[in-house]
Amino acid sequence: MHLEGERAFAAVDVPEELAYDRTGPNTPAGRYLRQFWIPVAQITDVKPARAKTITIMSENFTLYRGESGEPHLIAHLCPHRHVALAVGRVEGESVRCFYHGWKFDQHGACVDQPAEDEAFKDKVRAAAFPTREYLGLVFAFLGQGEPPPFPQFKRLERPGEVVTWSYVRRTNYFNSMENGADHVHANFVHERSAFSTVGVNREIPEIEPWETDFGIAFNTKYKDGKNGRHYVVMPLAAFIMIAEEGLDHLVDHLAFRIPIDDQSHRAFIVNLFEIFGEERDRFMEKKRQQRLALQTLPPIDDVVQAVIRGELHIDEVPDRPDLVGIQDSVVMETQPGITEREPDQLGRSDRAAILLRRIYAREIDAFAQGKPVKRWTYPEDLSPVPAV
Ligand code: FES
Ligand SMILES: [Fe+2]
């Protein structure tokens, strides 16, 4: 994702199990993270009967939807002479390679080879990965063996309006993971935003984290006695409450941080708006207007890069519906990955991030050594608590 010469960070020597910013297929963190169901696309990324190449954790795949609309994920390249399968044709639930017509079904079986002997196709396979559509996202299991139980977020299945979207951030995924456990930044980075309208950042809260069956819970404690509660859901999500322009209450916000490569990641966001009837109609119309307005504004990445280059100060960016995202990207896109920087100077307010690093190091180390890893379970009633 990085343009040549755009940034250069020096590599720092860290033990392998601590290099959780490296997620390629042959890295300890990459192998560990492939043992989970993770979102790899929005279902709207690809139309039924079409295919595209996607990159997850520095590895390419062919994502396609069969004529039924079902999503499937198979190897990037045709095993014959390694042409991208995404430029081929979808037939039923299979893909036919554009080069010599070999056809692969959603399980990776080669089901047709027009120019070969009948017996050859049984010797050929493409890698294939289990997929499942949920909350507007395509989840996949990229690991070896049996996939774990599918993680469900019952809280987001309640009545209301589920809105799913995604964006790319040009920084290592772990910086965003830590940011999700960093409530203090709201008082600085989001000082000018809908966060202040609802009072989330009225003062710097005390952060009190602890490990749970699903990851990390942390309280944000305020002097007025109100406590918020937020979560890091292992291995790649935050489940928090955020402010939304035009609403006077906070909303559930599940944010997955999925590595594209070691310098960028894609965030998949699921929000549940518990609004109904006329309020719902008004709000959805407002969202539609916001989307239209955004199309007339400079693209978010242009703004972020202009701020990072120093051509524009973040305080000069005019108010716009995606200002919070711009503020976060400006911060994190200047942050090297863990193995590209000197050790951080961590303090009390970083306690949730410190715990996250400990858990990652412990689990990746155990996994790399073939020892038992923690089996995370996701409670059905998991629900963040606002502190306002
Ligand atoms: S490269 Fe795919 S069929 Fe030949
Ligand atoms: Fe933020």
Side-chain angles (χ1 to χ4, degrees), residues 212-228:
T212 65
D213 291 344
F214 56 84
I216 292 173
F218 61 99
N219 282 340
T220 47
K221 297 173 76 175
Y222 293 84
K223 291 196 189 81
D224 58 13
K226 289 193 177 139
N227 288 351

Side-chain angles (χ1 to χ4, degrees), residues 322-354:
D322 53 2
L323 182 60
V324 166
I326 292 175
Q327 291 167 334
D328 278 325
S329 288
V330 159
V331 169
M332 280 175 265
E333 294 197 8
T334 66
Q335 230 179 348
I338 296 262
T339 54
E340 296 170 322
R341 65 204 208 204
E342 295 298 327
D344 293 333
Q345 303 291 315
L346 301 172
R348 278 180 69 75
S349 64
D350 299 306
R351 275 184 295 177
I354 293 169

